[in-house]
Amino acid sequence: MPDLIICDVMMPELDGYQVLQTLRKHPDTATIPFMFLTARAEKTDQRQGMELGADDYLTKPFTRVELLGAITTRLEKQAALELQKDKKLDDLRSHITLYLPYEMDKPLNRILDISQLIMDKWESLERYQIKTMAEDIHQSGERLLRLIQNFLLYADLEIIATDSKKIENMRKTTSKLPNPVLANLIQNLAQKTGRVADLQLDWQETTIAMSQNRLNKMLEELINNAFKFSQEGTPVWVNSYSENNRLILSVHDKGQGISEAEMAELEADLRFKGNLYEQQSSGLGLVIAKRLVELHGGKLTIHSTLGEQTTVQVMLPLISKGLLP
C-alpha cells in the first residue's frame, strides 16, 4: 500500500475524480493521503476535488520545493493521525485491563460463594432457601453478562471513533422514535425494577440518524440509570420534541443527584475514573450513551442537584423527509 497518492485530474478513460471516488470506496485505500496535481486551477475544480475527499490540490506550474513541501505536510499529518489513533487504542486497552477485572469481581465472587454454599450445605437447606440462592446467582449472572456486553460495546465504539469512514457509515442508518421494540424494552425494564407506575413517557414521533439498536441501547442505559439512582414511588420522566432540526430528548429523575465535584469530573472526562455510585453501577452505561450520541453528531449533557434531581439531555440531528431512504 502506498503512503501517499499523487494523481492528475485530466486523464483518458478514468479522470482523477473517478480515481479518488474509487479509492475512497475501498476500505484498504480509503484513508491513504491523496493529492491532486493538475493544470485546472479554477476554484470550482478545487472545490470538487476537496469535496470528494482529496487532502491537497496542487496546480501547475509548481516548483520542486512546493511539491516536496506539500508531500511532507501530508505525510506529517497522516503520521500525527496514526499516532493519535494508536494512543486511543492504547487508552482503550488500558481501561479494559484496569477496570474489567475490578468490575467483574463482585458478581463473579457472589456466584462462586453462593454456589459453593449450596454444594456444602444442600442437605440441610430448605427449598425456599435454595430458591432464594438460585435467584441471587441468576441476578449476579445477569449483571456479569450485562457488564461484559457493555465492555465489548464500549471497545467497539472506541475503535469506530478512530475511523472516520466507520463514523460516516454509522450516520447513514436511520430509526424512528418511538418504536415497538423500544417500548417493550422500557416496559420490561420498568417491571423488573418495580417502577411501572413511576415511568412517564411523552414522545414526539421523529426519525433520526441512528440505527434502531443503538437508539434503543442509549435510551435503555439512560432510563436504567434514572431508575437505579432514584427511589421507588418517585417519577421518572422521558420526553422528546424537535427544535431547529434537532431531537431534544430528556430523562429526568427525582433521585440522589450528583455533587458539583462529581459533575465536574463527569463533564471533564466521562470515562472510567471511578464509580459515581460504586455500590450500584460502574457508570459504563452512561459512558456508552454519551459515546453513541457523540459518534452520531449529537451532544449529551447532565444537569443535577445533589439530593434532589438529575436530568440527562440528548440532542441529535433529525432526518428531513427529503433524505429518508
Side-chain angles (χ1 to χ4, degrees):
M1 283 296 167
D3 296 306
L4 176 79
I5 296 171
I6 303 174
C7 182
D8 208 336
V9 173
M10 294 179 287
M11 301 184 293
E13 297 184 24
L14 197 70
D15 67 23
Y17 299 133
Q18 292 170 305
V19 171
L20 178 56
Q21 285 179 309
T22 304
L23 290 168
R24 290 296 185 249
K25 289 178 182 177
H26 198 289
D28 292 335
T29 57
T31 60
I32 297 175
F34 188 100
M35 291 173 53
F36 277 126
L37 191 150
T38 178
R40 298 175 66 169
E42 295 294 326
K43 284 187 177 181
T44 52
D45 296 322
Q46 294 184 30
R47 187 179 298 114
Q48 182 180 359
M50 303 307 277
E51 287 176 353
L52 289 172
D55 297 282
D56 208 342
Y57 197 104
L58 197 63
T59 57
K60 302 173 185 177
F62 55 86
T63 67
R64 177 177 178 275
V65 172
E66 288 173 335
L67 176 59
L68 293 179
I71 292 171
T72 300
T73 299
R74 288 304 107 199
L75 292 178
E76 287 177 349
K77 182 179 179 181
Q78 186 69 11
L81 290 173
E82 291 296 328
L83 188 63
Q84 184 181 39
K85 184 177 179 179
D86 290 341
K87 185 180 183 305
K88 286 183 178 180
L89 292 176
D90 285 341
D91 287 345
L92 173 60
R93 283 189 285 267
S94 176
H95 289 321
I96 292 175
T97 302
L98 288 173
Y99 290 95
L100 185 56
Y102 171 78
E103 295 294 341
M104 290 176 64
D105 188 60
K106 281 186 180 179
L108 188 55
N109 280 332
R110 187 75 176 161
I111 291 169
L112 293 173
D113 289 345
I114 298 175
S115 59
Q116 185 66 52
L117 182 61
I118 293 174
M119 288 189 293
D120 292 342
K121 305 289 185 179
W122 66 273
E123 290 181 331
S124 60
L125 291 172
E126 299 289 341
R127 291 183 65 181
Y128 79 90
Q129 291 177 312
I130 294 175
K131 181 177 182 297
T132 301
M133 291 178 178
E135 289 173 348
D136 205 338
I137 290 174
H138 183 74
Q139 290 172 2
S140 297
E142 282 188 330
R143 179 182 172 188
L144 188 60
L145 176 62
R146 181 183 178 86
L147 178 64
I148 292 170
Q149 289 174 336
N150 275 357
F151 263 97
L152 291 174
L153 175 57
Y154 171 76
D156 185 47
L157 293 176
E158 288 301 302
I159 291 171
I160 289 173
T162 66
D163 191 326
S164 59
K165 196 68 177 177
K166 289 182 178 179
I167 295 173
E168 183 183 338
N169 288 334
M170 279 183 72
R171 297 181 183 182
K172 289 179 180 178
T173 56
T174 63
S175 60
K176 292 186 179 296
L177 180 74
N179 63 80
V181 175
L182 177 60
N184 186 57
L185 188 153
I186 293 174
Q187 190 65 25
N188 289 340
L189 187 60
Q191 289 175 348
K192 192 173 182 178
T193 54
R195 305 293 297 275
V196 174
D198 298 336
L199 183 63
Q200 300 180 27
L201 301 174
D202 182 17
W203 304 112
Q204 182 185 80
E205 291 189 7
T206 48
T207 302
I208 61 175
M210 181 183 285
S211 73
Q212 203 72 75
N213 288 339
R214 291 191 173 106
L215 173 64
N216 293 352
K217 177 63 176 176
M218 177 198 72
L219 276 167
E220 178 190 7
E221 293 299 339
L222 295 182
I223 295 171
N224 186 55
N225 268 4
F227 284 150
K228 193 176 293 181
F229 301 127
S230 62
Q231 295 294 321
E232 184 177 346
T234 61
V236 170
W237 294 288
V238 183
N239 63 76
S240 69
Y241 61 93
S242 58
E243 181 180 88
N244 298 326
N245 206 33
R246 295 181 304 174
L247 168 72
I248 312 295
L249 188 148
S250 299
V251 179
H252 178 85
D253 68 77
K254 291 287 187 180
Q256 63 195 63
I258 305 171
S259 70
E260 290 185 7
E262 289 167 333
M263 183 63 69
E265 182 178 350
L266 265 179
E267 293 182 353
D269 189 9
L270 249 174
R271 290 181 183 272
F272 310 140
K273 288 186 175 178
N275 302 332
L276 289 180
Y277 311 107
E278 187 174 312
Q279 74 280 10
Q280 297 188 56
S281 170
S282 68
L284 182 55
L286 187 57
V287 175
I288 288 172
K290 184 173 186 290
R291 206 67 170 118
L292 280 169
V293 172
E294 291 172 341
L295 287 173
H296 288 82
K299 183 179 180 181
L300 183 148
T301 56
I302 303 171
H303 308 278
S304 185
T305 304
L306 186 62
E308 294 183 16
Q309 58 83 31
T310 297
T311 299
V312 179
Q313 186 179 78
V314 170
M315 290 183 286
L316 284 166
L318 291 176
I319 300 296
S320 64
K321 291 181 180 180
L323 296 177
L324 287 174

